[in-house]
Amino acid sequence: MSAGHGAPGHRRDSLKRLLEAFGGTMARILIAWELGGGLGHLVPLTPIVRGLAARGHHLFAAVRELAHVDALFGGFGVSCFQAPIKTTRAANRIDPARTFAHILHNAGFGEPRELAGMAGAWRNLLEFIRPELMLFDYSPTAILASRAIRTRRAVVGIGFCCPPDARPLPDFRPWLPDASQSLQRDEDRVLANVNRLLESWHLEPLERLSQLHSQADATFLATFAELDPYPNRGQAEYYGVWSSIGGKRPAWPEAVGKRVFAYLKHFSALPHLLDGLRGSCQPAIVFLDPPDFALRSRFESPTLRFEAEPLDLNAVGAACGLAILNGGHGATALLLLAGKPLLEIPLHLE
């Protein structure tokens, strides 16, 4: 991995440098998470929350999913809110999404009235909390709304969630037939919707859509250059990933063979995969998110164990011989750092 972030000690230094960037003066800090799902966003934020709380900051969080907030942020004095999010599928959805402009379009930026409603709700929340600093994890509408208040702004996340400052925005699917003209038109329409809202708020318009993220005061890329979907990003500092926040230690089945760890969500071929794992008779642990008791009762065996709680990925990486994942960034990076071979069955573009 690049930038020397491979060793656990270096990952701790990366987190320390990120925390120190927020300064030592106690501040009101709002952490926003708007898009994406599951634990992949909250888990990496938890060490940041812990570190900021230890430094005496007054913390608020507006997050997409509240189910795991108490388990992860509880005890750190965080005041939590439901993030204003899009709850319906876009009627004019663009599929397949080929640029970050398409991601924004499908998330509410493609319809001016919907964008105004969502951004207005974020603005109301920000004016209520009055943060002196905001930390955005995949939260484009919150970033847009934050332009209406006086606050410092920082973006954190994997490369996919932090687009580079470029016009046009890069194509995620360059293997498809060239569509550069239509992609530019799509991007310009989203930019027009953004600027229509900014004009209604008496704020300066954007010259290019990528300024939504690039004009933040700081960007913390919590990834490695090798895992960045924007290989031509230009000058950037990669903070790597920090260690797992813990979890249950793995208890492997008593069996001879290579230990296999599977961290999976539901997809159509999952029963076939589980049947193959069971038939291999290798000692295997499966963590399904969310748990599925029907699959567990069907496939659990003396060599195949299901876990209902997240496992300590550092301990998993030290002991397993193979990991099977759905392409989640955090688990992928940590197990690659542990030097383990991976079988990836990705479910999402990023």
Side-chain angles (χ1 to χ4, degrees), residues 80-248:
C80 295
F81 299 84
Q82 174 65 57
I85 59 173
K86 180 175 175 58
T87 58
T88 58
R89 183 180 175 86
N92 56 349
R93 184 178 179 86
I94 298 176
D95 279 317
R98 292 187 60 166
T99 71
F100 200 82
H102 287 171
I103 300 293
L104 295 178
H105 176 279
N106 294 342
F109 282 61
E111 211 293 310
R113 286 185 297 179
E114 185 170 35
L115 177 61
M118 290 170 50
W122 272 108
R123 182 176 178 176
N124 291 338
L125 182 61
L126 304 188
E127 290 176 346
F128 173 74
I129 295 174
R130 294 177 292 107
E132 297 161 283
L133 185 147
M134 291 192 65
L135 181 63
F136 303 98
D137 181 344
Y138 209 5
S139 298
T141 319
I143 295 174
L144 176 59
S146 72
R147 301 177 77 89
I149 68 170
R150 292 178 58 87
T151 184
R152 290 182 295 153
R153 304 181 302 157
V155 174
V156 64
I158 64 175
F160 184 85
C161 304
C162 303
D165 190 6
R167 184 181 185 276
L169 286 162
D171 187 354
F172 292 139
R173 305 176 193 262
W175 57 87
L176 295 180
D178 178 69
S180 54
Q181 291 186 342
S182 64
L183 296 183
Q184 186 62 70
R185 287 195 298 269
D186 292 341
E187 182 174 327
D188 289 343
R189 281 195 292 268
V190 174
L191 176 62
N193 291 342
V194 168
N195 283 338
R196 182 183 306 179
L197 174 68
L198 292 175
E199 181 182 6
S200 72
W201 287 357
H202 307 290
L203 297 174
E204 290 291 322
L206 303 182
E207 295 179 3
R208 53 192 180 275
L209 191 58
S210 59
Q211 289 176 315
L212 189 65
H213 287 76
S214 68
Q215 290 183 345
D217 297 293
T219 297
F220 301 105
L221 289 166
T223 186
F224 300 94
E226 294 86 344
L227 300 181
D228 190 347
Y230 298 107
N232 302 315
R233 182 183 293 275
Q235 186 64 33
E237 183 175 7
Y238 293 90
Y239 282 73
V241 295
W242 25 91
S243 299
S244 165
I245 63 168
K248 184 178 178 180

Side-chain angles (χ1 to χ4, degrees), residues 11-23 44-45 47-49 51-52 55 57 133 135 154-157 218-223 237-240 242:
R11 299 204 300 277
R12 287 192 296 270
D13 291 343
S14 296
L15 179 59
K16 181 180 178 182
R17 287 189 296 117
L18 186 154
L19 291 169
E20 288 175 346
F22 293 103
L45 287 173
I48 299 175
V49 168
L52 293 175
R55 286 162 171 78
H57 296 295
L133 185 147
L135 181 63
V155 174
V156 64
T219 297
F220 301 105
L221 289 166
T223 186
E237 183 175 7
Y238 293 90
Y239 282 73
W242 25 91

Side-chain angles (χ1 to χ4, degrees), residues 63-77:
V63 301
R64 180 180 182 85
E65 298 174 9
L66 292 167
H68 299 289
V69 166
D70 187 61
L72 294 173
F73 293 177
F76 300 133

Side-chain angles (χ1 to χ4, degrees), residues 245-262:
I245 63 168
K248 184 178 178 180
R249 292 191 64 82
W252 302 93
E254 294 291 337
V256 177
K258 179 178 290 187
R259 289 172 169 175
V260 180
F261 171 67

